[in-house]
Amino acid sequence: MSRAPATVPVPAGSVSRVFSTTDPVGAHEYICDAYSHTSMRLIGDQTSVHMRDEQHDLGWFTVSDFRHSAGLEQMSDPIGRLLLARVVEGEWQCDTIGEDRRTSPGDICLVAQPDRPCLIRWEAPVHLQFISIDPATLLDVAGAPGDLVPRFTSLTPVSAGTKQLIGSVMDHVLDDVVGNPTAAQAPRVLQSTARTLAAALLETFPNTATR
């Protein structure tokens, strides 16, 4: 008897949005809604603030292109997801329990453990790219002892080669999936992309996976 072809569920609530504002308070409210609740401290001149965020929620993962023109310090509640960040322009500082990172253009890191708060700070304009994914997606490709979700033990790439690997996967997600309207609406492509992203994360950042 032949087996019926597998069906891949269509992600619920897939949506794209662009938010732009010159109001520091409005920018903070948006960040709390789109990323995580934060407490905010403004740094430096705020008279010409401009924040823009383009976000694509594709169900299995979310991609964001974030720009902010003024200095800002934010104490973020736990994000609840794995948030991968790449610096396009500017410099920013990201501190979480046990790890303090100061990044510059081209750097890639995980922002924080999903269940831990973090401090994010920049003093000049920044342009950042984010990809967030549910930690449970890691179980599609690996598991930790007791079949638990693997946990990352460092939030920076283990080597220059793995940094290049995760950067290439980010480019693929941005250019070939988000940038291709057909791919961005194809459930099997999105599911496969999420698995590829999970595998690349596990190869790039030290973790507790055993299988």
Side-chain angles (χ1 to χ4, degrees), residues 166-181:
I166 196 66
S168 296
V169 172
M170 291 185 76
D171 289 339
H172 167 65
V173 172
L174 293 167
D175 298 338
D176 302 327
V177 181
V178 176
N180 183 329

Side-chain angles (χ1 to χ4, degrees), residues 83-87 92 99-104 106-111 152-168 170 200-207:
L83 185 60
L84 180 67
R86 176 163 62 184
V87 183
W92 74 319
E99 196 159 353
D100 177 2
R101 283 141 299 139
R102 286 164 173 77
T103 59
S104 55
D107 286 343
I108 300 173
C109 68
L110 286 168
V111 173
F152 292 100
T153 57
S154 175
L155 304 177
T156 54
V158 70
S159 67
T162 59
K163 176 183 174 182
Q164 184 178 12
L165 168 65
I166 196 66
S168 296
M170 291 185 76
L201 288 170
L202 290 166
E203 291 295 329
T204 299
F205 302 98
N207 59 81

Side-chain angles (χ1 to χ4, degrees), residues 23-171:
D23 174 19
V25 175
H28 178 239
E29 291 175 347
Y30 172 84
I31 289 170
C32 289
D33 175 65
Y35 294 93
S36 173
H37 182 268
T38 69
S39 59
M40 177 183 71
R41 183 171 73 88
L42 304 176
I43 301 173
D45 182 14
Q46 300 288 319
T47 57
S48 59
V49 171
H50 182 221
M51 192 210 84
R52 183 183 187 277
D53 188 51
E54 179 177 345
Q55 190 172 93
H56 303 273
D57 181 352
L58 300 178
W60 284 284
F61 53 90
T62 301
V63 176
S64 304
D65 186 87
F66 178 89
R67 301 169 188 259
H68 201 295
S69 67
L72 195 63
E73 181 178 271
Q74 300 175 91
M75 187 65 193
S76 171
D77 288 351
I79 299 170
R81 291 170 66 84
L82 293 168
L83 185 60
L84 180 67
R86 176 163 62 184
V87 183
V88 180
E89 296 177 5
E91 298 181 352
W92 74 319
Q93 175 184 347
C94 187
D95 298 344
T96 190
I97 299 171
E99 196 159 353
D100 177 2
R101 283 141 299 139
R102 286 164 173 77
T103 59
S104 55
D107 286 343
I108 300 173
C109 68
L110 286 168
V111 173
Q113 300 286 1
D115 58 352
R116 293 184 178 179
C118 63
L119 175 70
I120 299 172
R121 174 188 174 98
W122 59 81
E123 298 183 5
V126 292
H127 178 193
L128 307 168
Q129 294 170 331
F130 296 112
I131 300 178
S132 72
I133 190 169
D134 188 332
T137 307
L138 300 175
L139 288 172
D140 286 347
V141 293
D147 285 331
L148 298 175
V149 175
R151 189 171 183 86
F152 292 100
T153 57
S154 175
L155 304 177
T156 54
V158 70
S159 67
T162 59
K163 176 183 174 182
Q164 184 178 12
L165 168 65
I166 196 66
S168 296
V169 172
M170 291 185 76
D171 289 339

